Amino acid sequence: MARPEVLDRIKEAEREADEIVEDAHEQREARIQEARTEAEQIREQAREEARELKSRRLDEAREEIEAEREEIIAEGEADRQALESHAESQRNEVVGYAVNLFTEAVDAQT
C-alpha cells in the first residue's frame, strides 16, 4: 500500500474517531438533559404530593377541631341548663329567705 493511501486511511480513521467522540459527547449531554428533566418532574411530583398530604392533614385537623368544639359547646349547654334548673329549683327558698330577712328588719325597726 502506498504511503499516501496509508495517510488517507489514517486521516479517515481519525475523522471517524472524532465523529464517534462527538456523537458520544452529544449523547452524553442528551442523557444528562433527560436526567435533569426527569429529576425536575420527580421533584414537582413530590411537591404536589406534599401539598396534597398537607391539605388532607389540615382538613382532618379542622374536622377534629370542629368535632371537639361541638362537644365543648354541648357540654357547656348541658352545664348551663343544669345550673339554670338548680337556680330555678331554689328560687322559692331564696325568695322566702329574702322575705324573712326583710320582715325581721322591719320588725326590728318597730
Side-chain angles (χ1 to χ4, degrees):
M1 196 182 294
R3 227 178 137 125
E5 265 182 47
V6 172
L7 287 175
D8 286 342
R9 288 183 75 190
I10 291 172
K11 287 179 184 178
E12 181 62 29
E14 287 178 346
R15 272 194 299 272
E16 287 176 10
D18 288 343
E19 287 176 10
I20 291 170
V21 169
E22 182 63 30
D23 285 346
H25 283 295
E26 289 174 5
Q27 289 176 5
R28 176 180 166 262
E29 290 301 317
R31 282 195 302 269
I32 289 171
Q33 186 57 42
E34 287 173 13
R36 286 181 178 147
T37 301
E38 185 178 346
E40 181 56 36
Q41 290 171 347
I42 291 169
R43 282 191 297 271
E44 183 56 37
Q45 182 180 0
R47 284 191 287 267
E48 180 60 29
E49 288 173 3
R51 280 190 291 270
E52 289 173 5
L53 179 61
K54 176 184 172 186
S55 179
R56 279 195 311 271
R57 286 184 177 172
L58 282 173
D59 289 344
E60 289 170 1
R62 285 184 182 115
E63 289 173 7
E64 288 176 18
I65 289 169
E66 183 60 25
E68 190 173 333
R69 177 183 168 276
E70 292 297 326
E71 184 178 323
I72 290 169
I73 288 172
E75 289 174 1
E77 180 63 22
D79 289 348
R80 182 195 63 79
Q81 288 177 355
L83 286 171
E84 194 174 275
S85 177
H86 180 69
E88 185 64 34
S89 71
Q90 297 205 354
R91 178 187 293 179
N92 290 335
E93 186 179 330
V94 170
V95 169
Y97 179 73
V99 169
N100 284 340
L101 285 178
F102 180 74
T103 305
E104 289 175 8
V106 170
D107 286 345
Q109 290 179 355
T110 58

